[in-house]
């Protein structure tokens, strides 16, 4: 750990040093959580990030790795959490502009391939964050909106990469730190509804779409103890119900009736085989 941090803190502006820093940060970002010590590395990682923001000395991969260290270890830190969500949203927005998602896979340029790799790493880190985060952040809407936008850009020609984005939306629906209204405002609900119509039950993307609505349904069925919050829940539930009804969601799910057992044969245990679990009633 001390050796890797010492290398990562190098500030010389040459290609060899830049590569060493990148490798050191990449290694640090892959160390298991329980092996890390907050006092040992937190101030150093923050220094690396701050220096880059002032001098732009890191590659995108190195910068992402530095943030991944913080995201994976401090997703419950109230002070750092706001900054992490803001930075992730900003980086995804910038990276999205660097790649031509409309071109075919065989036409990919080496620089774009590197950018894609960094985007995938951001998304894997965000999947982890959305799975375990316990702190609500008002910037969740912007972050999820960026995830939705990139997915829309890449879904036609980059099906494999798009799985990571849909899985992240699925984790967001499951995460109590993300408000249900955030999923509605950000366009996540509309996007998943739209995509479901183009997939089949045998499509791995569909499993994540179903998981998204399964978790959404579960959360909207949970009554609030606070009277004002309970009224908000009912109103939000009504809005989403009307949207689903307008899009023919219930008929679509019913068309799968009797085939959900196929998911268990494929070991998709996170999904329910009870069809009513996917529905909302007002």
């Amino acid at each position: 750990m001390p050796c890797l941090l010492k290398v990562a803190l190098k500030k010389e502006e040459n290609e060899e040093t830049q590569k060493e820093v990148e490798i050191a940060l990449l290694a640090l970002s892959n160390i298991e959580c329980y092996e890390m010590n907050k006092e040992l590395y937190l101030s150093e990682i923050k220094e690396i990030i701050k220096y880059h923001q002032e001098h732009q000395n890191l590659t995108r991969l190195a910068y992402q790795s530095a943030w991944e260290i913080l995201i994976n270890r401090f997703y419950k830190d109230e002070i750092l959490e706001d900054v992490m969500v803001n930075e992730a949203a900003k980086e995804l927005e910038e990276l999205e502009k660097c790649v031509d998602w409309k071109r075919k896979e065989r036409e990919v340029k080496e620089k774009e391939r590197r950018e894609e790799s960094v985007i995938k790493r951001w998304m894997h880190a965000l999947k982890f964050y959305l799975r375990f985060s316990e702190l609500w952040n008002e910037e969740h809407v912007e972050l999820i909106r960026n995830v939705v936008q990139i997915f829309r850009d890449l879904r036609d020609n980059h099906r494999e990469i798009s799985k990571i984005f849909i899985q992240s939306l699925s984790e967001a629906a499951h995460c109590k730190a993300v408000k249900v209204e955030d999923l509605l405002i950000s366009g996540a609900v509309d996007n998943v509804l739209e995509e479901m119509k183009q997939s089949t039950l045998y499509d791995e993307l569909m499993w994540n779409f179903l998981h998204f609505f399964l978790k959404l349904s579960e959360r909207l069925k949970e009554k609030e103890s606070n009277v004002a919050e309970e009224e908000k829940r009912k109103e939000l539930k009504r809005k989403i119900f009307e949207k689903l009804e307008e899009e023919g969601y219930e008929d679509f799910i019913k068309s799968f009736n009797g085939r959900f057992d196929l998911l268990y044969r494929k070991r998709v245990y996170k999904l329910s085989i009870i069809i009513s679990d996917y529905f909302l009633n007002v």
Side-chain angles (χ1 to χ4, degrees):
M1 281 292 302
C3 293
L4 287 171
L5 284 169
K6 185 176 180 180
V7 173
L9 284 162
K10 287 184 178 181
K11 297 180 174 64
E12 294 88 344
E13 294 185 10
N14 59 68
E15 188 176 341
E16 184 179 349
T17 299
Q18 189 181 51
K19 194 67 178 176
E20 289 178 356
V21 170
E22 183 177 273
I23 292 171
L25 287 170
L26 192 61
L28 284 167
S29 69
N30 282 283
I31 292 176
E32 294 290 344
C33 299
Y34 56 80
E35 295 180 32
M36 305 291 276
N37 181 287
K38 181 175 180 178
E39 289 71 27
L40 178 63
Y41 71 89
L42 179 57
S43 60
E44 284 88 343
I45 296 299
K46 288 167 69 176
E47 180 185 337
I48 290 166
I49 289 173
K50 184 177 179 181
Y51 187 85
H52 170 73
Q53 290 172 339
E54 294 172 355
H55 301 277
Q56 301 296 305
N57 68 311
L58 300 177
T59 63
R60 286 193 183 276
L61 177 59
Y63 189 54
Q64 188 282 329
S65 297
W67 274 104
E68 187 168 351
I69 295 166
L70 294 186
I71 290 172
N72 287 351
R73 281 83 189 175
F74 293 98
Y75 55 88
K76 292 184 180 181
D77 190 302
E78 195 165 356
I79 297 173
L80 286 173
E81 204 248 4
D82 282 354
V83 183
M84 287 189 283
V85 175
N86 285 334
E87 192 63 23
K90 187 176 77 174
E91 281 295 298
L92 283 177
E93 187 176 4
E94 286 299 313
L95 283 162
E96 199 267 343
K97 299 173 184 175
C98 298
V99 180
D100 177 12
W101 298 108
K102 296 190 187 316
R103 53 98 181 101
K104 301 294 184 182
E105 186 65 29
R106 62 179 178 277
E107 298 169 354
V108 66
K109 297 176 182 176
E110 187 57 36
K111 184 177 184 302
E112 287 185 325
R113 194 178 295 281
R114 289 197 297 271
E115 307 291 9
E116 284 183 11
S117 176
V118 176
I119 288 176
K120 284 192 284 187
R121 283 177 59 82
W122 269 110
M123 291 312 304
H124 280 299
L126 289 173
K127 271 177 58 183
F128 176 89
Y129 165 78
L130 290 169
R131 185 179 302 159
F132 297 108
S133 176
E134 297 176 358
L135 302 169
W136 179 75
N137 188 303
E138 62 182 7
E139 298 299 327
H140 279 148
V141 171
E142 195 57 37
L143 178 63
I144 296 169
R145 184 177 285 127
N146 287 338
V147 171
V148 169
Q149 182 56 54
I150 297 178
F151 174 77
R152 283 176 172 162
D153 289 341
L154 62 78
R155 61 188 173 188
D156 293 330
N157 297 324
H158 303 271
R159 201 72 171 167
E160 196 62 34
I161 301 176
S162 66
K163 289 178 186 177
I164 308 170
F165 289 81
I166 290 300
Q167 287 165 6
S168 297
L169 293 180
S170 180
E171 294 293 352
H174 181 64
C175 180
K176 295 297 179 66
V178 177
K179 293 184 177 180
V180 173
E181 60 193 285
D182 294 343
L183 300 171
L184 188 61
I185 297 169
S186 65
V189 174
D190 290 304
N191 184 66
V192 176
L193 270 173
E194 181 184 339
E195 287 301 312
M196 285 181 79
K197 296 176 182 178
Q198 302 179 41
S199 301
T200 70
L201 191 60
Y202 303 94
D203 189 338
E204 191 174 338
L205 286 178
M206 177 59 83
W207 306 345
N208 288 286
F209 300 149
L210 289 169
H211 185 252
F212 177 91
F213 279 111
L214 178 65
K215 293 305 170 185
L216 194 68
S217 176
E218 286 178 359
R219 293 181 62 186
L220 286 169
K221 290 172 183 175
E222 295 173 354
K223 293 186 178 180
E224 299 285 349
S225 55
N226 180 282
V227 176
E229 289 298 316
E230 176 62 10
E231 287 303 312
K232 283 176 62 177
R233 180 192 71 86
K234 287 180 179 178
E235 177 60 20
L236 185 60
K237 185 178 178 183
R238 183 188 61 78
K239 283 182 180 179
I240 294 180
F241 173 81
E242 289 176 355
K243 182 179 287 292
L244 298 180
E245 190 175 44
E246 183 181 340
E247 296 294 327
Y249 166 79
E250 188 166 325
D251 289 338
F252 181 75
I253 297 295
K254 283 179 179 176
S255 70
F256 292 147
N257 198 17
R259 291 188 284 160
F260 276 96
D261 62 321
L262 290 172
L263 300 175
Y264 273 74
R265 295 179 204 171
K266 290 179 175 289
R267 300 183 184 275
V268 189
Y269 298 127
K270 65 182 181 181
L271 292 178
S272 172
I273 60 172
I274 302 172
I275 201 165
S276 59
D277 287 347
Y278 300 87
F279 297 150
L280 281 177
N281 296 307
V282 177

